Amino acid sequence: MKSYQLNQIMLLWGIAPVVGLSSSTTTCPGSSLTHLNVSLLRERIAEGRVYQQPNFFSQQQIDDILAEIVQLKQDGVFAPSGLSNTARGAQQAFGSQDRSVCVVPWWSEMLLQNNNTVSPVSMLLQQLRLQLADVLDRPTMSDPTLAHECYYSWSGKGSFLPRHMDERHEELKGPKGWLLPSRRSLSWLVYLSDENWTLEKNGGALRSFPQQTPPQQPAQHDGNLQVGWLLRQRKAVYLNSWFLLSGSNEPHCILYTVEGNELRYLTRPWLAESLQGTSVAEFLNRMRDQDSSGLQTLFLDPDDARDFALLENRSAWDRGELPEGSIIEDICPTRGFLVVFDSVMLPHQVEVIKEGNRIALAGWFHEQTQEFPVDLFAQT
Ligand SMILES: *[C@@H]1O[C@H](CO)[C@@H](O)[C@H](O)[C@H]1NC(C)=O
Ligand SMILES: *[C@@H]1O[C@H](CO)[C@@H](O)[C@H](O)[C@H]1NC(C)=O
Ligand SMILES: *[C@@H]1O[C@H](CO)[C@@H](O)[C@H](O)[C@H]1NC(C)=O
Ligand SMILES: *[C@@H]1O[C@H](CO)[C@@H](O)[C@H](O)[C@H]1NC(C)=O
């Protein structure tokens, strides 16, 4: 199955536009218009927490955006939306209280610079993307041809969003995970909610679940995205989907941690085909429980099996449990505040709105999907 995917991807990549990174050289963190606190930003993102910054937009910019949003609402362009990656899929029944969203009309034109009349707001967002690419060392995020997303969001009294992740490892997304040229890298929002918003009066907190004692390891290692934690050992766990055993040209999956400059493999390599229809998450859940008692079916060391937790543990969350090892950090959707967090690392939800309108300009900056090891092509 994977070799079938490979062929498709090779085709796709054959026609994909060449990544132009030259645009990233135009940013200079020191002289930026966005005034990010770079050291704080780096620290918060590395810890898998939310970075917040007040007064991202000027009063004039806020007024202009709100005027555009009101116009778009009058034009009926907003549509109800729960989650783009909800577990319930199409089975949601939307009501008038649900969040509604609308793609920002000038976004793609502006990304590809088809429009010479650039508004200050769109300039600021481009600068934000380029600066984040630079200071967080995510170079492909500066490529304007990736599917960076941007939307307006409007939620009234009674609406909320259940806990979710904005992005996950390609292997965990099912068959189409590897076919997409890019993936969400950073989630960002600038809030435009009613003035003087408080969590007590208005509710609507962005409730995030960072680890209590985060290891400060990045969400990816060598292109392999994080899928979980070793909780007590305080390590990020990465999944390599392109692990080659000697004597086989079939790519295997394997979990590992990074300790100093060394990789430590936590599991035996397994073939994606061997899952036979169960999801990778269900498979890892089963193996963790089984190997915790000392079986070593997949995990090499029972202590690691017991210590392992998936970033996204759907079945436990559906039973009302909090993400293992996490604490709750509530963020107030205060007008003018920018928030940024890693799309892969941080479980989050939106608390019920008690009063008022919670409005945001929001989006995801993308990074390129992991490239396949060249030696795979050489052998096939
Ligand atoms: C950046 O954040 C750190 C940590 O909160 C703070 O100590 C520092 O003063 C901030 N720097 C600026 C320029 O605001
Ligand atoms: C170009 O951008 C400006 C400012 O955002 C907008 O008013 C104008 O309609 C855009 N032009 C086109 C052709 O989309
Ligand atoms: C928000 O608070 C400020 C300062 O207390 C006040 O001047 C303003 O009228 C308030 N705005 C609203 C919409 O309540
Ligand atoms: C998911 O959470 C449940 C309950 O906390 C736990 O028993 C299970 O081992 C977890 N699985 C993984 C892989 O994190």
Side-chain angles (χ1 to χ4, degrees):
M1 182 190 169
K2 215 154 180 174
S3 38
Y4 165 74
Q5 285 179 19
L6 266 178
N7 290 338
Q8 283 209 344
I9 297 157
M10 284 169 73
L11 264 178
L12 261 179
W13 283 25
I15 56 167
V18 173
V19 181
L21 294 180
S22 53
S23 52
S24 68
T25 55
T26 53
T27 47
C28 170
S31 68
S32 157
L33 289 175
T34 56
H35 301 301
L36 301 181
N37 184 333
V38 171
S39 59
L40 183 62
L41 169 78
R42 285 197 176 118
E43 185 184 305
R44 301 292 292 182
I45 299 297
E47 290 178 345
R49 296 187 135 95
V50 177
Y51 168 81
Q52 294 187 74
Q53 174 168 316
N55 304 320
F56 184 71
F57 288 143
S58 69
Q59 189 56 51
Q60 184 61 53
Q61 290 165 348
I62 291 174
D63 292 345
D64 291 348
I65 300 167
L66 283 171
E68 182 175 49
I69 291 175
V70 167
Q71 186 60 53
L72 290 165
K73 274 202 75 97
Q74 278 171 10
D75 296 347
V77 204
F78 272 81
S81 152
L83 283 176
S84 53
N85 57 354
T86 176
R88 268 188 241 132
Q91 289 173 6
Q92 306 180 81
F94 291 111
S96 58
Q97 291 184 335
D98 278 305
R99 173 176 83 140
S100 59
V101 299
C102 159
V103 171
V104 168
W106 38 263
W107 179 250
S108 54
E109 285 232 335
M110 181 268 308
L111 266 180
L112 301 173
Q113 296 177 336
N114 288 340
N115 188 344
N116 292 327
T117 346
V118 185
S119 74
V121 166
S122 68
M123 250 171 68
L124 211 49
L125 295 177
Q126 286 331 292
Q127 187 168 20
L128 177 67
R129 181 171 60 84
L130 296 176
Q131 195 184 4
L132 290 172
D134 183 11
V135 301
L136 297 174
D137 193 21
R138 302 185 183 201
T140 63
M141 211 162 67
S142 61
D143 177 357
T145 67
L146 298 189
H148 307 289
E149 300 162 81
C150 184
Y151 63 96
Y152 289 129
S153 155
W154 182 299
S155 319
K157 184 175 172 177
S159 81
F160 67 96
L161 282 179
R163 192 178 317 146
H164 63 280
M165 307 295 291
D166 282 353
E167 186 54 287
R168 46 173 90 92
H169 193 291
E170 293 88 348
E171 195 73 32
L172 272 57
K173 290 200 268 193
K176 71 168 192 284
W178 292 105
L179 296 177
L180 301 166
S182 70
R183 63 165 181 88
R184 292 171 178 174
S185 172
L186 291 173
S187 309
W188 59 270
L189 303 94
V190 187
Y191 291 113
L192 303 154
S193 315
D194 290 354
E195 279 182 283
N196 305 335
W197 191 281
T198 67
L199 296 184
E200 295 69 33
K201 178 163 65 85
N202 303 95
L206 169 64
R207 174 158 290 184
S208 66
F209 299 89
Q211 287 290 297
Q212 180 162 26
T213 48
Q216 298 219 10
Q217 290 185 308
Q220 63 165 301
H221 171 262
D222 214 5
N224 302 313
L225 287 183
Q226 186 183 355
V227 294
W229 306 101
L230 287 184
L231 295 170
R232 282 173 296 278
Q233 298 170 62
R234 296 180 57 216
K235 297 276 178 221
V237 177
Y238 304 98
L239 167 59
N240 179 359
S241 289
W242 307 101
F243 182 79
L244 286 180
L245 285 174
S246 60
S248 160
N249 57 14
E250 191 83 34
H252 286 62
C253 294
I254 194 164
L255 296 184
Y256 68 94
T257 56
V258 181
E259 324 211 335
N261 288 326
E262 300 283 304
L263 305 195
R264 185 166 75 83
Y265 291 109
L266 304 180
T267 61
R268 299 172 200 289
W270 76 87
L271 284 170
E273 289 91 314
S274 67
L275 266 57
Q276 306 206 320
T278 52
S279 73
V280 182
E282 286 168 52
F283 170 72
L284 289 175
N285 259 322
R286 202 172 70 238
M287 289 298 123
R288 171 196 150 146
D289 289 348
Q290 189 169 312
D291 291 351
S292 291
S293 58
L295 274 184
Q296 293 177 299
T297 330
L298 185 75
F299 285 87
L300 301 173
D301 182 339
D303 283 337
D304 290 336
R306 284 189 283 268
D307 205 13
F308 176 69
L310 279 167
L311 281 173
E312 181 179 22
N313 190 336
R314 260 290 134 214
S315 46
W317 295 359
D318 288 347
R319 290 193 302 269
E321 292 173 36
L322 297 183
E324 285 178 276
S326 71
I327 52 168
I328 290 175
E329 272 183 12
D330 279 348
I331 311 290
C332 186
T334 308
R335 179 179 288 196
F337 269 60
L338 165 75
V339 303
V340 182
F341 57 93
D342 189 280
S343 305
V344 173
M345 283 168 91
L346 188 61
H348 58 281
Q349 63 196 37
V350 176
E351 296 295 286
V352 178
I353 294 164
K354 300 183 204 165
E355 193 186 316
N357 292 311
R358 188 186 190 275
I359 305 168
L361 169 59
W364 294 279
F365 293 138
H366 279 230
E367 275 185 274
Q368 201 177 65
T369 299
Q370 182 183 15
E371 295 194 46
F372 309 110
V374 247
D375 34 345
L376 270 182
F377 297 122
Q379 291 177 32
T380 46

